[in-house]
Amino acid sequence: MASSSSVSEVSLTCSICLDVFTDPVTTSCGHNFCMVCIRSHRDRSPCSRCPLCGKALDSKQDFNINRIIKEIAEGIKRKRVEEKSEVSCDSCPKKKMRTAIKSCLHCATSFCESHLEPHKTAEKLMKHKLINPVKNLEEYICKNHERPLDLYCRDDQTAICQFCTESDHKTHNTVPLEKESLKLLMNKKIAVQQKVQDRFRKIKEIKHSLRFNKQAKEKETDENIKFFKDVFDRSNAELLELTEKKHKETERRGEKLIRELDEEIVELKRRQTELEKLSHPMDFTQIISLLRDPKYTNRSKNISFSTLEHGGILRKTISHLQSVLDEKMRETVGRDLRSIKHYAVDVTLDPDTAHPELMLSDDGKTVWNTGKSQNIPDTPKRFNYCSCVLGKEGFSSQKFYYEVQVSGMDWDLGVAKESIDRKGDIGLNPENGYWTIWLRKWTEYAANDRLPVPLTLKEKPVKVGVFVDFEQGLVSFYDVEARYHIYSFTGQSFPEKLYPYFSPGECEQGQNSHPLIITPVDPVE
């Protein structure tokens, strides 16, 4: 979690606009938002829900500004303005101090326009590294050699100066910092996105645990009363009190973790917004700040079910709840699959769209990569760069479902809209018209959202089910054999036909020639 000072600011951040509250109001479920943000969110849908806890919002609630929270939020805004005060020129006399326009990393000094002039005319000074003015200039200079941090050590993942390559980093892989900046930015974005998904998953797990904790409490209380019906009242009362105490402790700790995770999600989303605002190429100060800022390091709590344990009293309860949860989730997904299978469709592969290296079976149900290009016409419908193929049938309304047997080290699977660009390299994400998951290097699974979302699967899928609901804007993937939900794209828009999408991956020197096979959907039991 963040430090106490940043936590207080996180608590005063609206999870809709991701900024400090303006006219904060409190919903009936106890969460705070900007008045304009929550009203707009509520009015967009007749059945809108709280963005944090998912509870239905009261459409008749007349929001009133929380004056106490408003005062604190306005104080934070004032503090932000003060922290962004201008950098003064170090060469100006104190009585006539002017604003600096550049800071020199070689001189370790900030200069106004007048005092910067020698750096524009003197040959030696013209070689100095100038950056946008900063107060904490020492953070951009090597502490060992007093030279600009203009290189990046990939081995130690840190910024270094030129002289560092002749000492501690002599045998390391180093590159210019600006060259590494785009990779750094993308890695930070992916890491933050992964953390957001992880926190949402943990909240869902804890809520499941608390719900089953309540059920276990009711069942355990009934069983204890029945078992001790013939025992004198005092023993029965003590047992019931212990049962009540351990379940309340579980609920208290679970609710506390949910609040902490809610705060962390708000902070992570704000980091996402900050990262999106960074331009590329980034200036030197942005690169160093991104590299060193502890907000983007992996320092958050590893919150898990073990955190809910409280000595011997809770350990058995949580262990029992976890096993119940796993089984209940399988039962739930099993029921979902039985329901979804009613929408099974007959999918066959379209040879007119297949990349020249792909081979299709005569029945149009199997595709694999031969690694050798066939002499076939390059029609407008055909993929000519990426080894993929579409289904022959397109769907434009209601719901549909199909299953695919997967194997090998690489594959892609999902749906694509009709108007996708089929020539050249393609970007697998919803913005380009693709809703897919993939496997890379045998074990690396990911959902291809705006940024790839790494997936941690309990088992290696053998058969994947793909379900689309046009009305709900939903694309879901399931491990059919394990009865496990893999990932869902939600809140999507499908203005045109969708086609099943398949890629058995690239085939190099005979590697990864495993096929994708469209299999019949088992009858609904």
Side-chain angles (χ1 to χ4, degrees):
M1 294 295 293
S3 65
S4 58
S5 58
S6 59
V7 167
S8 61
E9 187 169 330
V10 169
S11 302
L12 294 164
T13 299
C14 174
S15 62
I16 299 177
C17 67
L18 302 178
D19 204 350
V20 175
F21 292 129
T22 299
D23 292 337
V25 297
T26 304
T27 61
S28 56
C29 56
H31 290 113
N32 299 309
F33 304 92
C34 299
M35 179 180 285
V36 172
C37 293
I38 194 62
R39 278 183 173 173
S40 175
H41 173 79
R42 184 181 66 178
D43 296 343
R44 281 200 301 265
S45 171
C47 300
S48 58
R49 296 182 176 276
C50 172
L52 287 176
C53 68
K55 291 184 179 179
L57 294 173
D58 185 355
S59 60
K60 297 180 180 179
Q61 182 179 0
D62 185 17
F63 294 117
N64 295 314
I65 295 175
N66 188 318
R67 299 294 174 185
I68 296 177
I69 296 179
K70 181 179 181 180
E71 289 180 8
I72 301 173
E74 288 178 347
I76 288 179
K77 289 180 179 179
R78 287 193 296 271
K79 182 181 177 183
R80 283 185 177 181
V81 173
E82 293 170 359
E83 290 175 348
K84 291 182 179 179
S85 57
E86 296 175 338
V87 178
S88 299
C89 175
D90 295 325
S91 299
C92 287
K94 289 186 178 181
K95 292 183 178 180
K96 296 183 179 180
M97 193 173 290
R98 285 172 286 187
T99 302
I101 62 169
K102 289 291 180 181
S103 295
C104 177
L105 296 182
H106 287 79
C107 302
T109 305
S110 296
F111 298 102
C112 65
E113 187 169 1
S114 175
H115 287 109
L116 184 67
E117 192 62 30
H119 281 76
K120 298 179 180 179
T121 55
E123 185 176 349
K124 288 185 177 180
L125 296 179
M126 289 173 66
K127 297 178 181 180
H128 285 194
K129 179 77 172 182
L130 298 176
I131 63 173
N132 291 332
V134 292
K135 289 183 177 180
N136 51 338
L137 194 53
E138 66 279 357
E139 292 188 9
Y140 303 88
I141 301 172
C142 177
K143 290 179 173 58
N144 295 327
H145 306 105
E146 297 183 354
R147 288 293 185 272
L149 295 169
D150 52 5
L151 297 175
Y152 181 77
C153 175
R154 286 176 172 170
D155 293 343
D156 294 336
Q157 297 183 3
T158 187
I160 61 174
C161 75
Q162 186 66 43
F163 286 97
C164 291
T165 62
E166 299 173 7
S167 54
D168 295 344
H169 301 265
K170 188 173 183 178
T171 61
H172 292 184
N173 181 11
T174 59
V175 293
L177 195 59
E178 284 83 353
K179 180 180 178 181
E180 193 74 4
S181 62
L182 179 59
K183 183 179 178 181
L184 284 171
L185 182 59
M186 289 303 299
N187 287 343
K188 300 298 183 185
K189 287 182 178 180
I190 293 172
V192 174
Q193 174 68 17
Q194 183 177 354
K195 287 180 183 178
V196 171
Q197 294 290 335
D198 182 58
R199 272 44 177 182
F200 276 122
R201 179 181 61 80
K202 289 183 188 301
I203 287 177
K204 187 175 181 180
E205 288 177 352
I206 293 170
K207 286 183 176 179
H208 272 293
S209 176
L210 292 178
R211 186 165 69 250
F212 292 124
N213 174 68
K214 183 178 180 181
Q215 295 174 355
K217 170 187 171 183
E218 294 171 352
K219 181 180 179 182
E220 191 172 347
T221 301
D222 291 342
E223 289 177 350
N224 287 336
I225 292 174
K226 182 179 179 181
F227 184 77
F228 283 93
K229 183 171 62 175
D230 298 327
V231 182
F232 55 97
D233 293 341
R234 183 179 174 185
S235 296
N236 195 16
E238 288 177 352
L239 179 64
L240 293 176
E241 183 180 353
L242 178 60
T243 301
E244 181 75 16
K245 182 178 179 180
K246 71 178 181 180
H247 286 290
K248 280 188 175 181
E249 179 67 12
T250 302
E251 292 173 5
R252 186 187 67 80
R253 287 180 172 269
E255 290 167 357
K256 180 175 181 290
L257 286 174
I258 289 173
R259 287 195 300 272
E260 291 177 351
L261 287 166
D262 279 340
E263 288 182 349
E264 198 166 357
I265 287 169
V266 172
E267 170 65 11
L268 288 167
K269 285 187 175 180
R270 194 170 72 183
R271 295 180 208 172
Q272 282 182 308
T273 303
E274 291 173 356
L275 289 170
E276 291 297 333
K277 289 179 180 177
L278 292 178
S279 59
H280 189 80
M282 294 181 283
D283 64 43
F284 189 78
T285 57
Q286 287 178 322
I287 298 171
I288 294 293
S289 297
L290 183 67
L291 183 64
R292 286 186 165 178
D293 195 334
K295 291 189 299 183
Y296 303 104
T297 60
N298 188 18
R299 62 191 176 90
S300 300
K301 274 188 179 180
N302 182 22
I303 300 174
S304 65
F305 277 102
S306 60
T307 314
L308 289 172
E309 293 182 0
H310 182 61
I313 295 178
L314 288 180
R315 190 173 294 111
K316 183 181 291 187
T317 302
I318 297 303
S319 176
H320 167 71
L321 292 176
Q322 182 63 65
S323 62
V324 171
L325 172 60
D326 289 342
E327 185 56 34
K328 288 292 183 182
M329 289 182 70
R330 287 179 181 273
E331 290 177 4
T332 300
V333 174
R335 287 196 300 270
D336 288 346
L337 282 172
R338 284 195 293 272
S339 175
I340 288 170
K341 285 182 178 183
H342 285 288
Y343 302 98
V345 293
D346 184 21
V347 175
T348 54
L349 301 169
D350 185 357
D352 293 337
T353 67
H355 182 274
E357 290 185 358
L358 297 185
M359 184 68 70
L360 276 57
S361 62
D362 292 338
D363 63 359
K365 299 293 184 180
T366 303
V367 57
W368 66 97
N369 195 328
T370 64
K372 298 180 181 179
S373 185
Q374 305 171 71
N375 186 18
I376 52 179
D378 183 14
T379 62
K381 292 175 61 177
R382 189 180 307 283
F383 293 94
N384 69 348
Y385 184 82
C386 297
S387 56
C388 43
V389 60
L390 298 180
K392 186 177 292 185
E393 301 83 6
F395 303 90
S396 58
S397 62
Q398 297 181 346
K399 306 172 183 177
F400 67 93
Y401 173 79
Y402 65 95
E403 295 178 352
V404 182
Q405 181 178 313
V406 295
S407 58
M409 61 182 291
D410 293 325
W411 50 259
D412 310 342
L413 196 60
V415 293
K417 65 182 184 181
E418 188 172 23
S419 62
I420 51 171
D421 186 3
R422 310 180 189 201
K423 306 302 178 184
D425 197 4
I426 59 177
L428 291 180
N429 59 62
E431 292 181 353
N432 292 335
Y434 295 88
W435 293 266
T436 63
I437 62 173
W438 73 16
L439 168 67
R440 292 291 182 268
K441 300 177 182 178
W442 298 104
T443 60
E444 298 175 9
Y445 294 91
N448 297 302
D449 213 324
R450 185 180 180 187
L451 292 173
V453 180
L455 301 173
T456 303
L457 306 186
K458 292 185 176 181
E459 301 177 28
K460 188 177 182 68
V462 175
K463 186 184 294 185
V464 175
V466 183
F467 174 66
V468 176
D469 187 332
F470 273 80
E471 184 177 342
Q472 297 294 327
L474 177 72
V475 181
S476 293
F477 299 86
Y478 295 90
D479 182 332
V480 178
E481 302 295 338
R483 294 181 295 163
Y484 184 77
H485 172 252
I486 297 174
Y487 189 82
S488 286
F489 295 90
T490 59
Q492 306 297 307
S493 177
F494 310 124
E496 56 186 85
K497 275 187 177 182
L498 294 182
Y499 287 79
Y501 167 90
F502 311 84
S503 172
E506 304 300 325
C507 180
E508 298 179 2
Q509 299 178 347
Q511 295 293 316
N512 195 42
S513 58
H514 297 76
L516 293 178
I517 305 172
I518 303 170
T519 59
V521 176
D522 293 335
V524 179
E525 299 175 359

